[in-house]
Amino acid sequence: MLPPFALEEPTSVHEALALRARYGETACLYAGGTELLLTMKEGLLRYERLINIKLIPELAGMALEDGALHIGAITTHRMLERSPVVQRHFPTVAEMAAHVANVRVREVGTLGGNLCFAEPHADPGTLLLVYDASVALAQQGGTHTLALEQFFVGPFEVALADDEILTAIRVPALPAHTAAVYLKYGLLERPSVGVAVAVTALPDQVQEVRIAVGCVGPTPRRLRDVEGLLSQKELPEVRATLDAAGALAGSAADAVTDLHGSAEYKAYLVGVLLRRAFERAYQQAIRGDVGDTARGRGTA
Amino acid sequence: MTDNRAHHGTATGQVLSIHVTVNGHAHDVLIEPYLTLIELIRDRLGLTGTKKSCDMQVCGACTVLLNGRPVSACTMLAFEARHASLLTIEGLAQGEALHPIQEAFIEHGGLQCGFCTPGMILAAKALLEENPAPTEEEVKHYMRGNLCRCTGYKRILESIMVAARRLAQTHNPGVLET
């Protein structure tokens, strides 16, 4: 049983923003509801009204814009998973989306909602960080963009004001000779550890490595110190550094002890997944193959 | 069946009038915005084949098909079904004739206690409409959110593979069942 609330159904961002301004924190934006309704059923969150944003055409749809993928906020995981455009140009994103939670959650849950809810045990944010993704935030004065890295503030906390709406996610294309891999592991319904790695490389020459870690700590985060250890190096040197990089990543991930495991265990797994993800991404980058790379147990 | 009860005394008093087709029958119902789909199905429409178990979209017992897509009725708001076609397990058989997926589950022992079975069968139906000739791996991936605590899944998997072949044969009678 859900506690009573009223429903608002704006049909434009303009209307939705007016409702946001009017009702403030007594109302909550509602898209797929896969996270929000669970939390409301548990009595952890209570709102006087929900603002259903799924009738707003401006928030729907996906498109390639100058090589970058524009994803409307109410795009579901299932749409990402099954879109020929995403499968072709951002195959790792499609593959990651195909492994979020279960098919019912993917049919209903949206990317915008997933990012805004900021449940730490989730997949999309971690992978999108290595693409340098950004979010478009609308407020009554206009729309501004924010790097996804700045959007994540803490567990269940993002840089979205009470009078703003996340309208879209922008995912830039990876540079040439780059492949991204997302690996996760978990024993429970949600993933315990998620590691994303993007490697730009020519045979035996590693130019750039981007690394993001999620699920283990308060928010998904880029690990730039670890990236620095592995970038602009010849392959044997990178491989010789991977153990140290994995250990550093484990500690930099700020792992917490919870039902998914101890902080020590998760930090160790971060290192394991980092090494595996690096090897796969490197091999794919030098083959010019950027496909089919999000794998692992556990869901988001 | 139409529910015309007025709903007074709620915090907001807001009542929505929705039109929904359930198992081929049109309904106009008045609902509160916070009514869940499973409450509409079980408590208002009296269709108790849809089961509630985990109540958090993990187990799949409450799986129903909304315009052919599988959703968790436990964690979906009922108003989302407006103007939609809703299929529950009660709508699958044609009179006394069971659906081929139902027949395959019976013949191959794809159930024991039966509590997960309505959700299993509806999820399998959605899968086979999207992917009529899935591999075993594809079935496992699609069905991973439907949990069974009795069978160990082997017979469920077999049932779905058999149903897929039979349905393909129905659509393409020239192809022999293997």
Side-chain angles (χ1 to χ4, degrees):
Chain A
M1 285 275 283
L2 280 161
F5 54 81
L7 182 69
E8 301 286 346
E9 300 205 272
T11 54
S12 68
V13 169
H14 179 75
E15 246 180 83
L17 286 170
L19 290 164
R20 287 284 265 170
R22 183 161 164 203
Y23 294 115
E25 61 183 21
T26 67
C28 186
L29 297 173
Y30 159 79
T34 57
E35 304 270 20
L36 176 66
L37 297 178
L38 288 184
T39 318
M40 291 177 72
K41 273 198 272 194
E42 291 296 321
L44 297 172
L45 288 175
R46 196 171 178 124
Y47 294 102
E48 289 174 16
R49 60 192 71 227
L50 298 190
I51 303 170
N52 178 22
I53 55 170
K54 293 197 297 300
L55 305 184
I56 302 177
E58 301 140 89
L59 303 184
M62 281 173 277
L64 278 182
E65 290 172 357
D66 301 327
L69 181 64
H70 168 100
I71 306 170
I74 61 174
T75 301
T76 64
H77 303 296
R78 195 87 169 117
M79 291 172 188
L80 278 174
E81 168 189 344
R82 291 171 60 76
S83 154
V85 169
V86 181
Q87 286 174 357
R88 178 162 175 214
H89 297 280
F90 293 84
T92 310
V93 174
E95 188 68 16
M96 176 278 297
H99 289 82
V100 168
N102 60 53
V103 69
R104 301 180 307 280
V105 170
R106 295 199 296 276
E107 285 284 0
V108 175
T110 66
L111 181 61
N114 181 288
L115 298 176
C116 286
F117 206 79
E119 148 70 69
H121 300 96
D123 297 315
T126 308
L127 176 61
L128 294 180
L129 282 180
V130 301
Y131 284 81
D132 287 331
S134 59
V135 289
L137 306 177
Q139 52 186 191
Q140 275 176 324
T143 297
H144 65 283
T145 59
L146 186 67
L148 187 59
E149 204 174 352
Q150 265 84 60
F151 187 63
F152 291 121
V153 175
F156 306 101
E157 193 184 351
V158 291
L160 183 76
D162 281 342
D163 61 352
E164 289 180 328
I165 293 175
L166 187 157
T167 57
I169 300 95
R170 184 179 164 87
V171 188
L174 293 171
H177 308 292
T178 303
V181 168
Y182 178 69
L183 296 178
K184 63 175 168 177
Y185 183 76
L187 297 167
L188 305 175
E189 180 66 11
R190 292 172 189 267
S192 303
V193 183
V195 174
V197 174
V199 174
T200 307
L202 295 171
D204 297 324
Q205 289 288 337
V206 176
Q207 292 169 350
E208 189 192 359
V209 179
R210 304 179 192 174
I211 301 166
V213 173
C215 307
V216 301
T219 64
R221 60 176 60 168
R222 280 284 289 269
L223 302 182
R224 293 182 192 278
D225 289 350
V226 187
E227 293 176 6
L229 281 183
L230 301 176
S231 296
Q232 305 290 349
K233 290 200 164 101
E234 296 193 359
L235 182 65
E237 196 185 347
V238 173
R239 285 197 174 131
T241 313
L242 271 178
D243 279 346
L248 180 60
S251 60
D254 213 0
V256 296
T257 295
D258 61 12
L259 286 174
H260 292 260
S262 67
E264 186 187 9
Y265 169 70
K266 291 190 222 173
Y268 175 77
L269 283 183
V270 166
V272 172
L273 295 185
L274 172 61
R275 291 194 294 273
R276 289 184 192 168
F278 170 82
E279 281 298 337
R280 281 192 209 179
Y282 168 77
Q283 295 298 338
Q284 287 170 15
I286 62 168
R287 281 203 311 266
D289 165 17
V290 295
D292 200 14
T293 46
R295 285 270 178 250
R297 297 186 56 172
T299 54
Chain B
M1 195 186 318
T2 302
D3 187 338
N4 283 319
R5 282 176 291 175
H7 301 292
H8 300 293
T10 62
T12 68
Q14 188 183 18
V15 174
L16 309 170
S17 170
I18 68 161
H19 181 79
V20 54
T21 302
V22 184
N23 301 331
H25 302 287
H27 293 264
D28 289 291
V29 287
L30 296 173
I31 58 169
E32 303 86 348
Y34 49 88
L35 189 77
T36 59
L37 187 57
I38 199 166
E39 289 167 336
L40 172 66
I41 292 169
R42 287 181 59 93
D43 303 343
R44 305 271 171 101
L45 301 177
L47 298 170
T48 54
T50 304
K51 305 304 181 191
K52 180 156 148 182
S53 185
C54 75
D55 205 15
M56 52 193 294
Q57 297 188 102
V58 171
C59 76
C62 69
T63 304
V64 294
L65 304 189
L66 201 59
N67 291 333
R69 319 310 295 266
V71 299
S72 297
C74 72
T75 310
M76 167 159 280
L77 294 174
F79 82 82
E80 300 283 7
R82 69 187 158 194
H83 309 308
S85 172
L86 178 67
L87 181 70
T88 71
I89 194 67
E90 290 89 346
L92 205 52
Q94 302 287 322
E96 294 296 305
L98 293 180
H99 188 279
I101 302 174
Q102 292 173 305
E103 288 184 334
F105 268 70
I106 293 169
E107 286 169 25
H108 291 267
L111 65 148
Q112 286 185 26
C113 86
F115 196 82
C116 71
T117 313
M120 284 284 175
I121 287 176
L122 289 169
K125 181 171 192 292
L127 162 67
L128 296 181
E129 280 182 7
E130 185 175 297
N131 180 1
T135 62
E136 288 198 356
E137 282 310 308
E138 286 169 339
V139 174
K140 286 182 191 172
H141 176 67
Y142 195 93
M143 300 294 294
R144 64 159 288 160
N146 286 80
L147 305 185
C148 171
R149 299 285 83 147
C150 303
T151 68
Y153 300 107
K154 185 167 182 296
R155 286 164 182 267
I156 292 172
L157 180 61
E158 284 170 13
S159 305
I160 296 171
M161 296 305 287
V162 166
R165 288 196 288 269
R166 285 199 190 144
L167 286 164
Q169 204 174 18
T170 314
H171 299 136
N172 303 291
V175 181
L176 287 177
E177 184 174 337
T178 52

